[in-house]
Structures are given as structure tokens and as C-alpha cells.
Amino acid sequence: MNNQMPAISLAAIPGRRVRTLDLVPSIERAGFTGIYGPSLADNLSLCAALAFKSSQIRFGTSITPIYTRQVQDFAQMASFIHEVSGGRFDFGIGVSHQPSMSRLGIKQGKPLSDMRKFVSELKEVPRAGELPPLIIATLRKKMIQLSEEIADGMVFANGARSHMSDSLATLSENTRTDQSFFIGNMIPTCINDDVDAAMEVNRRTLTSYAYLPNYRNYWKEAGYEEEMNAIEECLSHGRREDVPRYLTDRWLADTTLFGTQSQVREGIEAWFDAGIKTPIIVPSAVSGGQFQAIEDLLNLYSS
């Protein structure tokens, strides 16, 4: 085993922000390759704090929805964090999901054209300063192609490991092997000797994603058509409570990491082998919340 180090997902929840930032020195000392803030809460503010709370580790957003600020504001904020961090910031951007944007009163257009327009306008903002690397949230092949065309990398969330070689084959060989092109995946992870309990945590984590059509379409592409069709049948009849039963153990083992320390370490290595240059571990715990989950992850590489 190579013991390559992954990155870690970190969210600063209201009331726990200072305590969350206090974790950063331990994460950096442990050798994790990055800290990436999910769209939960204000991850750009988190990254501004990380610029000063850390000294060497890369960090970024994974991802920020492109609709929630004016493009001029995004350009100024992203350039500021990039500059004051000494170039350690990755600006991960995405179109998010229709239900999330609808709750904010935001009407989305077509994902590919919206993303192309946003990146073009971002790069044209005057007097913003140098922009950080742009990382585009992706699942399916057209967005992968667009990432290669207009960005500096791409990041999956809840990708299927068995399907990753097919997805990455969309990229040119030069891009796949270019270490400066970011290829990440956010992986729900629960470390616990009670393997079944850890698996159930991940099942609960991913249930909400199964409600989203874009994720179901991706997982159908990845070979889980039977499971996704069953979920769609549940949803069409208003039986949302039945959805978790179709998130099968086989599917969970392909999209998440769970179990003992050795099982999770082996799983992280398998993600590297699948072509993901930066596995982003999204930690959960059987009990104890995010802080316990991060402690479990820190212990993974100290034992």
C-alpha cells in the first residue's frame, strides 16, 4: 500500500466556526493534501479564514454554486483568497441542484451553457487580480469535457469507483496525466469497527442525493439502473421513506467508504488507483458528529 494522503472536507457550521478552524493545524500536520469546503454554509468565508489559519496546505471550495453572487463579487473574493494564501486556493464551482436553487428563488438555465458563460464572465472581470485555478463540479461526460476545455480541473461528488475509468476516458491522455489538472471526488466516509453501523450512516447521508434526478441519471450510467428505477417508482408514488432500501450494499461499497481503519485505508488507495488524484474524504461518525468523524480520520493515519 502506498499510503498516499487524501484531502478532507470541512464545513464551518454556525456556532462551531472557531472550533472548526482550530482543527486546521492538526489536519495540516497530519499531512492531508487539502481542505475543501462543501456548499454547506459559506465556504468562501471558510476559505478566507483558511488562508490565514494554515501555512502550506491547499484548500478550496467543493463547490460554490455559481448563481448565489454576482460574478464581479466572485472574481474579487476568489482573487483575494488566492493572493493572500500565496496561491494555495482552488475555486470549485458548480451549478448545484434545482431544488436547492429553487429554495433561494433562483431559476437555473442549462448547466453547460450557464457554466461556460460564468467562467467566461469571471475571467473578464476588470481589476480583480489573478484568479485561482477553477475546478468544475461534474458527474457526466459533457461536463467532464467542458472542464477540460475551460477549467483547471474537475471534482465529482459521490462518484462510482467502478465507473470512474469510463468517466475519465472522456479526458485526453495528456489531461489525465497532467498533475496540474485537478481530478477529485468527494467520498462519504465513516470509520467504525461496526461495519454495518458505518454503512448505515453512509446510507442516510446519501438518501437525499437519491432524490435528485441528475444523480440518479449518473448512477444509471454507472450500472445501477435497477436501483435508480426502483427509487423513481417510490418517488412517483410519494413513498420517500422507502428510498433507502434501494441504496444497496453493493452500491454503497462503490460510492462510499466505511468500516475499520484498514478497510477505509484500502478503499482510499483504491480511489487513487481508479484515477482520482485527490480523494476528498467527507467524514461522518456513527456517533459524535463532525468533530468525532474528523478525529477518527486523523487517527486513521496516526495508527
Side-chain angles (χ1 to χ4, degrees):
M1 183 177 294
N2 294 325
N3 285 325
Q4 301 174 88
M5 291 294 287
I8 184 171
S9 178
L10 193 66
I13 306 300
R16 304 176 186 173
R17 291 165 175 144
V18 173
R19 187 180 174 192
T20 299
L21 289 171
D22 286 343
L23 294 169
V24 172
S26 295
I27 293 171
E28 195 165 37
R29 285 194 301 269
F32 287 89
T33 55
I35 300 172
Y36 290 89
S39 56
L40 179 68
D42 185 351
N43 54 10
L44 277 171
S45 293
L46 171 63
C47 286
L50 289 173
F52 299 99
K53 194 69 175 180
S54 63
S55 60
Q56 295 180 332
I57 196 169
R58 291 201 69 81
F59 59 89
T61 55
S62 62
I63 51 76
T64 292
I66 62 174
Y67 305 104
T68 54
R69 299 190 187 193
Q70 293 288 335
V71 68
Q72 292 86 354
D73 186 34
F74 271 131
Q76 292 286 348
M77 185 70 172
S79 175
F80 177 89
I81 299 171
H82 178 61
E83 181 176 333
V84 300
S85 68
R88 292 183 291 123
F89 174 55
D90 293 322
F91 188 25
I93 51 179
V95 295
S96 188
H97 313 291
Q98 187 272 329
S100 299
M101 294 300 97
S102 293
R103 284 194 293 270
L104 298 175
I106 296 171
K107 184 177 180 180
Q108 294 172 289
K110 295 182 178 179
L112 291 168
S113 57
D114 280 5
M115 182 59 71
R116 184 183 293 277
K117 180 173 182 289
F118 176 83
V119 170
S120 176
E121 291 179 351
L122 187 77
K123 292 178 178 180
E124 292 173 0
V125 172
R127 297 179 298 281
E130 182 180 353
L131 290 173
L134 300 180
I135 313 300
I136 290 181
T138 188
L139 279 175
R140 304 185 73 188
K141 294 178 180 179
K142 288 184 179 180
M143 194 65 81
I144 293 173
Q145 292 170 344
L146 186 65
S147 301
E148 181 174 31
E149 179 186 346
I150 67 172
D152 305 290
M154 61 183 191
V155 59
F156 296 84
N158 315 315
R161 192 168 67 218
S162 64
H163 189 56
M164 200 52 62
S165 61
D166 186 64
S167 294
L168 297 183
T170 305
L171 300 170
S172 68
E173 183 178 357
N174 285 342
T175 298
R176 287 197 305 273
T177 57
D178 181 356
Q179 290 305 307
S180 68
F181 188 85
F182 187 96
I183 300 177
N185 180 45
M186 298 178 68
I187 310 168
T189 300
C190 186
I191 303 168
N192 198 283
D193 289 343
D194 186 337
V195 177
D196 289 338
M199 184 166 54
E200 287 306 312
V201 169
N202 287 349
R203 184 175 278 112
R204 290 195 297 271
T205 297
L206 285 184
T207 294
S208 61
Y209 289 92
Y211 298 149
L212 301 171
N214 58 328
Y215 270 100
R216 293 198 303 273
N217 289 335
Y218 165 75
W219 288 322
K220 287 178 185 178
E221 178 187 284
Y224 295 96
E225 189 167 354
E226 181 179 346
E227 291 90 336
M228 297 306 118
N229 285 340
I231 289 170
E232 289 175 352
E233 180 72 12
C234 289
L235 295 175
S236 69
H237 290 89
R239 294 186 287 107
R240 292 168 73 92
E241 69 278 4
D242 289 340
V243 167
R245 64 185 291 192
Y246 297 107
L247 301 179
T248 61
D249 294 358
R250 180 179 73 95
W251 176 85
L252 282 167
D254 201 19
T255 56
T256 75
L257 295 170
F258 54 85
T260 65
Q261 287 188 341
S262 62
Q263 287 173 319
V264 170
R265 279 196 297 262
E266 289 170 4
I268 291 170
E269 287 299 316
W271 273 106
F272 279 114
D273 292 342
I276 295 298
K277 300 174 186 176
T278 306
I280 303 170
I281 303 304
V282 185
S284 294
V286 171
S287 62
Q290 177 182 230
F291 294 106
Q292 180 62 53
I294 292 173
E295 182 178 340
D296 293 341
L297 187 56
L298 290 171
N299 290 337
L300 184 68
Y301 289 100
S302 63
S303 58

